Amino acid sequence: MKLLRYGAPGAEKPGLRHDDGTLRDLSGIVPDIAGAVLGEAGLAALRAVDPSGLPVVSGEPRIGACVGAVGKFICVGLNYADHARETGKAPPEEPILFMKATSAISGPFDDVEIPAGSAKTDWEVELGVVIGTRAKYVAEADALAHVAGYCLINDVSERAFQSERGGQWTKGKSHDTFGPIGPWLVTRDEIADPQDLALWLDVDGIRRQTGSTRTMIFGVATLVSYISRFMTLQPGDIIATGTPPGVGLGHKPPLFLRPGQTMRLGIDGLGIQNQRTIEARP
């Protein structure tokens, strides 16, 4: 299934992308794509619904983040060896974890703000993992059973805030709109192998990132198991699994975003995002 949320920010309704390409309303079936809906029983109940009998959503509504009520937005740094090298860092021996504020979450086609005082806003196409059932101290062999599905994420970053202002990476990752998610959550059963997905990102029509999840240092199962040793993962938590090479910071000389540009990105089977960059609003 391809599950999504549509409508005005803060008032999104649950929906489903039918195989015929139409958007179907799920608000009569579930309150949101969140919480228990993402568990095995919740997803099984949705699979039992005939999508052709659901109301068709007319027009072209805004598409919001594909998951609601996200409790934790966990990110993995330097998880592609070639990306680590382009930033001048050695590939990590253990996953590098940091948090992105949930207030950064936005829709896949919403504008991305360039923060006030920013000179180094950057792009990062990433595979997102959405947790479906509680995970604490899970074995790697059992880890994927706790995953509801996968989505596309742009882990937008302000590099000066991240690395030149002291403290943790979080301040460079958490500005409003720095977490476009979606357009849809693709349930785990539709992705044969999360370690065999192509990723790409264009800026103003120029290909800047090309990669594959095959080259992750730590795969999805490893990450879910590893993170569950340090914090309990809850339904709706999101893990951004790292980015392949080609970020602005890695170019010689570096390339960074400015207002008026366009980012377009995608992952096999998970859809496409498109964002315009604008100056930050109060």
Side-chain angles (χ1 to χ4, degrees):
M1 292 183 293
K2 292 181 175 65
L3 304 174
L4 53 85
R5 300 166 71 247
Y6 69 96
E12 292 92 346
K13 295 181 179 181
L16 178 148
R17 185 179 186 271
H18 193 1
D19 290 342
D20 64 7
T22 59
L23 172 58
R24 303 295 177 121
D25 179 33
L26 280 173
S27 58
I29 308 295
V30 293
D32 201 356
I33 307 301
V37 172
L38 299 169
E40 293 295 334
L43 293 178
L46 288 180
R47 289 190 188 96
V49 175
D50 179 4
S52 63
L54 295 170
V56 176
V57 179
S58 61
E60 297 183 2
R62 169 187 174 268
I63 303 300
C66 58
V67 182
V70 176
K72 294 190 288 295
F73 196 163
I74 306 157
C75 300
V76 183
L78 304 178
N79 196 31
Y80 288 72
D82 36 12
H83 169 57
R85 285 192 294 269
E86 75 174 348
T87 63
K89 297 180 174 63
E93 296 183 3
E94 287 192 45
I96 296 171
L97 305 181
F98 60 93
M99 308 296 281
K100 197 176 185 88
T102 56
S103 56
I105 292 174
S106 60
F109 309 109
D110 292 346
D111 293 338
V112 167
E113 295 185 348
I114 305 298
S118 167
K120 297 182 180 181
T121 299
D122 205 347
W123 55 82
E124 293 189 24
V125 59
E126 304 201 8
L127 172 66
V129 178
V130 180
I131 298 300
T133 58
R134 180 180 181 273
K136 182 175 183 179
Y137 298 124
V138 300
E140 188 169 329
D142 302 324
L144 293 186
H146 294 268
V147 172
Y150 304 95
C151 63
L152 172 61
I153 294 176
N154 189 354
D155 177 21
V156 186
S157 310
E158 212 300 338
R159 302 300 189 186
F161 296 176
Q162 176 183 349
S163 302
E164 301 170 22
R165 299 289 296 273
Q168 303 296 316
W169 289 4
T170 302
K171 69 176 69 172
K173 298 282 187 171
S174 294
H175 192 274
D176 294 351
T177 74
F178 270 23
I181 295 173
W184 44 70
L185 162 65
V186 180
T187 51
R188 187 182 75 239
D189 58 298
E190 292 199 7
I191 301 298
D193 183 0
Q195 303 309 146
D196 190 21
L197 300 174
L199 309 84
W200 57 269
L201 182 144
D202 296 344
V203 179
D204 293 338
I206 300 172
R207 183 60 45 92
R208 295 300 186 187
Q209 285 189 276
T210 303
S212 169
T213 57
R214 290 192 304 270
T215 65
M216 281 184 183
I217 299 171
F218 308 104
V220 172
T222 299
L223 291 173
V224 172
S225 175
Y226 180 86
I227 295 169
S228 78
R229 302 176 204 172
F230 300 96
M231 63 193 82
T232 300
L233 295 169
Q234 303 285 0
D237 286 350
I238 295 173
I239 303 170
T241 58
T243 196
V247 299
L249 180 66
H251 285 268
K252 310 285 185 211
L255 299 171
F256 296 115
L257 295 166
R258 60 187 185 279
Q261 295 188 280
T262 299
M263 291 179 284
R264 183 174 173 84
L265 56 148
I267 298 179
D268 284 351
L270 301 183
I272 291 173
Q273 296 186 0
N274 197 82
Q275 297 112 22
R276 181 176 59 110
T277 56
I278 63 170
E279 292 185 3
R281 299 181 289 260

